Amino acid sequence: MQLALFIIFGLLAVAGAVNFLLQRHPINSALSLVVVMMSLAVLYWSLGAEFLAAAQVIVYSGAIMVLFVFVVMLLNAGEEERTHGSRAAYIAGFPGAAAIFCLLSFVFLTNGKAFGSTDLTSHLTHAVNNIAEISQVLFKDLLLPFEVTSILILVAILGAVVLARKEQ
Amino acid sequence: MSATVPISAYLVLAAVLFSIGVASFLIKRNIITIFMSIELMLNAVNLTFVAFAHMWHQITGQIFVFFVMVVAAAEAAVGLAIIIAIFRTRQTLNVDQINLLKN
């Protein structure tokens, strides 16, 4: 079950990310990013993080990507054209990203034994409610940081309104 | 019966997503798409946090992901407002033509 979920949604996430990279139109890139985020939500759930799976769907693919799609449509963004600068980025971009990927996966795979493996069944029979646990930490131990994030959101709202306002 | 997935498989998947995010950040020329690839990288890092939280049976990693989500939402709102302001003044979304500070 866990293995099947991982294979299906991991492949879906990678396919969505590759499609995001290859599409030239911003709206197609945005929609394939939604696919990546939804499959990541399923992976969070398979790792025993139900609250984060719901928050991923609601916040990321619900709020942030809708904002992106709104801006793409508002600015009437068309297909991007190839320029000289982008060709230089092709030469530097693919080897750099491949080097980062090789380094990370080398570290992860050589230490793979130490990481162990997931076991959803034991996690669920443990009968720990994920949301109850998170709210205990979030509203008791980390109450001050949680309140500070509300101020951060307020400042972000004000900043967005001020920046996007038409200048007189 | 119940086949388990090694944690390193989740980490390698996160590395794949992060590398694709880096590549598209460098290759894309549209400023909105560049901004979206930052979101892709943040998602990859979130997956790493959740995998490690599961590995250690600690809830702290999930709390961290929650705060990353909050900051990403605030960042998306402000960044898109900046993109709208840039489009108003420069009438373009191509980052090669937004080079006021270059010369």
Side-chain angles (χ1 to χ4, degrees):
Chain A
M1 175 71 172
Q2 176 116 28
L3 189 65
L5 274 180
F6 177 77
I7 290 174
I8 292 171
F9 287 97
L11 282 181
L12 198 59
V14 172
V18 169
N19 193 40
F20 168 78
L21 181 59
L22 295 180
Q23 290 288 342
R24 305 206 66 79
H25 204 284
I27 201 88
N28 295 343
S29 295
L31 292 180
S32 42
L33 199 55
V34 171
V35 172
V36 176
M37 284 164 177
M38 295 298 267
S39 34
L40 277 182
V42 177
L43 290 178
Y44 289 170
W45 177 77
S46 79
L47 282 168
E50 300 97 15
F51 172 71
L52 283 181
Q56 172 89 1
V57 172
I58 294 168
V59 175
Y60 261 118
S61 36
I64 295 182
M65 290 319 294
V66 167
L67 201 59
F68 271 102
V69 172
F70 270 172
V71 172
V72 169
M73 293 195 289
L74 176 71
L75 301 185
N76 200 11
E79 287 195 20
E80 54 185 342
E81 65 268 21
R82 280 205 182 102
T83 53
H84 182 69
S86 75
R87 238 175 279 126
Y90 269 99
I91 295 167
F94 275 122
I100 290 174
F101 169 66
C102 290
L103 181 67
L104 284 175
S105 42
F106 173 73
V107 172
F108 291 151
L109 289 178
T110 48
N111 295 319
K113 284 278 185 293
F115 289 145
S117 60
T118 65
D119 192 4
L120 185 64
T121 51
S122 77
H123 206 85
L124 287 185
T125 51
H126 195 50
V128 172
N129 194 344
N130 178 252
I131 295 175
E133 219 175 309
I134 281 189
S135 51
Q136 282 284 333
V137 178
L138 203 57
F139 296 127
K140 271 187 177 169
D141 305 339
L142 294 173
L143 185 61
L144 185 66
F146 181 72
E147 296 295 336
V148 168
T149 52
S150 65
I151 297 175
L152 175 77
I153 295 274
L154 184 66
V155 172
I157 293 170
L158 290 179
V161 169
V162 168
L163 281 169
R165 197 183 47 185
K166 218 175 213 117
E167 289 184 24
Q168 319 299 345
Chain B
M1 164 58 202
S2 68
T4 57
V5 185
I7 290 285
S8 52
Y10 282 97
L11 297 178
V12 169
L13 174 65
V16 170
L17 292 181
F18 188 85
S19 318
I20 292 175
V22 171
S24 53
F25 182 84
L26 291 171
I27 286 166
K28 294 285 184 182
R29 293 294 101 189
N30 190 316
I31 192 167
I32 300 176
T33 328
I34 288 175
F35 204 55
M36 277 193 273
S37 53
I38 296 177
E39 300 291 331
L40 182 58
M41 285 191 268
L42 282 172
N43 267 291
V45 173
N46 282 353
L47 180 60
T48 324
F49 269 125
V50 175
F52 276 125
H54 185 276
M55 171 189 160
W56 292 108
H57 295 288
Q58 292 274 322
I59 208 76
T60 328
Q62 300 185 12
I63 300 286
F64 219 109
V65 172
F66 177 75
F67 282 110
V68 168
M69 275 183 189
V70 170
V71 173
E75 170 236 342
V78 175
L80 288 171
I82 291 174
I83 288 174
I84 290 176
I86 287 175
F87 185 77
R88 276 223 185 90
T89 52
R90 314 278 301 181
Q91 299 298 321
T92 180
L93 287 172
N94 193 333
V95 285
D96 290 327
Q97 291 166 24
I98 306 171
N99 53 2
L100 191 65
L101 290 177
K102 197 173 176 183
N103 300 311

